[in-house]
Amino acid sequence: MESRLVIYNTLTRQKERFEPLNAPNVGMYVCGPTVYGDPHLGHARPAITFDLVFRYLRHLGYKVRYVRNITDVGHLEHDADEGEDKIAKKARLEQLEPMEIAQYYTNRYHDAMDALGVLPPSIEPHATGHIIEQQQLVKQILDNGYAYESNGSIYFDIEAYNKDHRYGILSGRSLENIKDESRELAGIGEKKHQADFALWKKAAPEHIMRWPSPWSDGFPGWHCECTAMGRKYLGETFDIHGGGMDLVFPHHECEIAQAVAAQGKPAVKYWMHNNMITINGQKMGKSLGNFITLEQFFTGNHPSLEQAYSPMTIRFFILSGHYRGTVDFSNDALKASEKGLQKLLQGIKDIDRVVPVAAEAAESAAFVRSLRQRCYDAMNDDLATPQLISILFEACTLVNKLVDHKATISAADLQELREVVQLFAFDILGLRSDSTGGNEAREEAYGKVVDMVLDLRAKAKAAKDWATSDQIRDALAAAGFEVKDTKDGATWRLNK
């Protein structure tokens, strides 16, 4: 099909038709995690958002090279330029090598992403594996006059850059605004101006993670890694750079400046940002005591959680809100998502129970024949997943009518209904039927046992043994199984 995808470009602040620089090839870079702690809900949203972009672009026929980095050096404790490296600090406290910490939490992140149905990226580079590329970037910026050395460290000269270009183009901030904010900070240390940011930091004697460079034994600034690795794997210009809204300033703003300062032109055509997840109206954070890891969501082991929530419930919850809107966590919201997911999955499952008729039914035919395009229209309008989910629920309503014999459908239309719903729910939204947390074997076992029990009930009914029939139905209900009698026989579902 012809691509009519429109996405919101944070850089231009408007929706734009997606036109790759070199179709059908698409380059996409997304800022990945800093691996010094367990993945949390804040990690889930960008991962799921750009997994959706990845899935949809591939479905449209593009060949996507999706790069998502691992930050394992340079993300400092206080800000982008000062303090102790977070991974090194964790290593010191736990008496481990920094790479042991990085590998452990990288593995934890991968496990969580797999549970959430997030596809692995095409390339997952680590900052520590690209020190040379980052040093080359710093050298280019120095040679072009947009950086300076100070006591073995290299800083980006924002004022020099701003004379030739504009610093603040992504966030909308002016240099004067940034200076005014910076004046609130005490002192400027080695910098010419407080707003200047580090490209390379000279390591203090006690600093564990360090590499030799022309300027000092040290380590790269946090902002360098994405610019350097994006260029290495996607070229000097590529299509999409994504991440959370909290990265717009300073991280992505600094990335834009670094790329222009090094190569004389911007690197990215479309900037995409997902919004934040709040908890009861507050930003999630350890200092507020509302910080919840993904494992805690999956197990229910947190005082703020009333129960455990499956990975697919978390995914459905995130996709139920538009990626550019704020999503507020609460137990009520997650319980609603859990019920909504169950309803959708049951509706898809019930398609197999529909018996088509020979004659075409006008009502169902009209709905089904517009369904595919309506789903595409929702996705093409800046990935409007709430609208898409609403359309899929409409399809489930039709399925319920068909199962209850309140509507009819032809075989061709039934096949189209099945294909469209499964395509958008499973392939594009990335939902899975294993909403119990991946235990498909358990659901299959439930099915065999319940079917056997219902067969015994059917025999009791045939023998007019109403007492035994009712006893079986009530026992199943008490165990959490909803039994419904139809003219085609009894059906059941598990109330999870």
Side-chain angles (χ1 to χ4, degrees):
M1 63 167 288
E2 179 187 357
S3 172
R4 298 183 180 276
L5 174 61
V6 172
I7 57 177
Y8 184 86
N9 190 344
T10 310
L11 183 64
T12 60
R13 295 168 179 78
Q14 61 185 8
K15 290 183 180 180
E16 298 178 9
R17 182 164 177 169
F18 180 67
E19 297 177 332
L21 295 166
N22 186 30
N25 299 304
V26 173
M28 181 169 75
Y29 190 102
V30 175
C31 291
T34 304
V35 284
Y36 69 96
D38 275 332
H40 52 74
L41 197 59
H43 288 122
R45 193 168 196 196
I48 291 171
T49 295
F50 292 100
D51 180 64
L52 176 75
V53 178
F54 186 32
R55 288 171 179 269
Y56 192 55
L57 289 177
R58 293 203 309 180
H59 169 71
L60 293 179
Y62 294 112
K63 183 179 179 181
V64 185
R65 178 175 288 178
Y66 174 18
V67 181
R68 185 185 66 203
N69 69 295
I70 295 291
T71 298
D72 53 4
V73 69
H75 205 303
L76 302 183
E77 188 67 29
H78 303 303
D79 58 34
D81 298 332
E82 302 296 339
E84 187 174 5
D85 185 287
K86 293 181 179 181
I87 293 173
K89 179 180 179 181
K90 191 91 170 179
R92 176 174 55 79
L93 293 174
E94 298 189 16
Q95 296 184 326
L96 296 170
E97 284 293 322
M99 288 301 99
E100 286 185 88
I101 296 294
Q103 188 64 58
Y104 175 79
Y105 288 112
T106 298
N107 293 343
R108 302 274 287 178
Y109 176 77
H110 287 159
D111 290 344
M113 294 305 104
D114 183 60
L116 291 168
V118 173
L119 299 175
S122 312
I123 303 172
E124 191 173 57
H126 292 229
T128 52
H130 296 78
I131 300 298
I132 292 174
E133 288 84 357
Q134 293 177 77
Q135 290 180 353
Q136 290 170 340
L137 173 71
V138 174
K139 186 176 185 304
Q140 282 183 296
I141 297 172
L142 268 171
D143 291 345
N144 291 339
Y146 296 115
Y148 56 90
E149 182 177 354
S150 178
N151 192 30
S153 294
I154 309 297
Y155 293 97
F156 190 93
D157 192 333
I158 289 183
E159 285 203 343
Y161 175 83
N162 201 60
K163 289 177 182 177
D164 300 328
H165 309 283
R166 180 192 162 195
Y167 183 80
I169 191 172
L170 183 66
S171 63
R173 302 186 184 202
S174 68
L175 185 57
E176 290 306 313
N177 293 148
I178 296 167
K179 284 181 178 179
D180 288 342
E181 291 174 9
S182 300
R183 288 192 186 104
E184 299 176 5
L185 302 174
I188 62 173
E190 301 170 337
K191 307 177 187 179
K192 291 181 180 178
H193 310 285
Q194 183 64 51
D196 294 347
F197 58 89
L199 298 173
W200 183 265
K201 283 290 290 182
K202 180 180 179 180
E206 67 276 8
H207 200 95
I208 304 173
M209 302 174 79
R210 60 173 68 217
W211 290 264
S213 80
W215 316 290
S216 63
D217 281 2
F219 53 92
W222 169 40
H223 308 305
C224 288
E225 63 180 275
C226 294
T227 306
M229 294 189 293
R231 290 201 309 175
K232 179 178 178 66
Y233 295 110
L234 299 175
E236 288 192 347
T237 56
F238 56 92
D239 297 294
I240 297 173
H241 195 319
M245 193 70 73
D246 57 330
L247 297 178
V248 170
F249 186 88
H251 186 48
H252 289 165
E253 196 74 77
C254 293
E255 279 195 60
I256 290 176
Q258 288 173 161
V260 173
Q263 64 192 31
K265 60 183 179 181
V268 180
K269 185 175 182 181
Y270 303 99
W271 285 88
M272 295 182 68
H273 293 88
N274 63 273
N275 215 321
M276 298 295 99
I277 291 181
T278 57
I279 296 183
N280 297 322
Q282 290 184 307
K283 183 178 178 180
M284 184 175 64
K286 290 182 180 178
S287 62
L288 297 174
N290 60 5
F291 184 86
I292 307 176
T293 69
L294 289 172
E295 183 179 20
Q296 288 170 327
F297 274 105
F298 301 160
T299 62
N301 186 24
H302 189 279
S304 297
L305 299 175
E306 295 177 5
Q307 64 177 69
Y309 298 99
S310 75
M312 282 299 106
T313 296
I314 299 295
R315 186 177 182 102
F316 187 80
F317 166 69
I318 289 174
L319 292 172
S320 295
H322 191 270
Y323 78 92
R324 288 194 290 113
T326 302
V327 172
D328 188 53
F329 155 79
S330 67
N331 280 284
D332 288 343
L334 274 183
K335 288 177 183 177
S337 291
E338 185 176 55
K339 290 180 180 179
L341 176 62
Q342 292 170 14
K343 178 180 176 181
L344 177 60
L345 294 176
Q346 186 63 48
I348 296 172
K349 186 177 180 180
D350 284 346
I351 293 176
D352 292 335
R353 296 173 51 205
V354 176
V355 179
V357 297
E360 182 180 280
E363 181 182 356
S364 59
F367 176 84
V368 170
R369 291 177 187 179
S370 66
L371 179 61
R372 189 181 294 266
Q373 190 57 52
R374 290 178 65 202
C375 291
Y376 277 124
D377 289 344
M379 285 298 295
N380 288 337
D381 184 15
D382 196 27
L383 310 170
T385 53
Q387 183 182 345
L388 173 60
I389 290 171
S390 177
I391 294 168
L392 293 177
F393 276 135
E394 289 182 39
C396 291
T397 299
L398 173 60
V399 172
N400 289 337
K401 289 182 179 180
L402 294 169
V403 169
D404 292 339
H405 302 285
K406 295 178 180 178
T408 58
I409 191 170
S410 69
D413 287 339
L414 180 61
Q415 182 61 23
E416 172 69 0
L417 175 65
R418 178 185 289 107
E419 288 179 1
V420 172
V421 171
Q422 291 183 350
L423 166 66
F424 283 92
F426 298 150
D427 296 347
I428 293 174
L429 290 181
L431 300 173
R432 291 193 301 243
S433 60
D434 54 342
S435 58
T436 56
N439 199 334
E440 293 172 316
R442 182 171 66 179
E443 289 201 341
E444 184 179 354
Y446 283 158
K448 290 179 179 179
V449 172
V450 176
D451 287 343
M452 180 183 67
V453 173
L454 287 179
D455 184 58
L456 294 174
R457 180 172 178 261
K459 290 177 180 178
K461 290 178 71 175
K464 297 186 178 181
D465 184 357
W466 309 119
T468 300
S469 172
D470 291 345
Q471 183 181 10
I472 292 174
R473 181 198 61 204
D474 294 344
L476 286 171
F481 297 91
E482 178 186 345
V483 177
K484 185 175 182 181
D485 290 310
T486 72
K487 71 178 186 179
D488 295 323
T491 64
W492 66 272
R493 70 178 66 183
L494 175 62
N495 292 322
K496 299 167 186 170

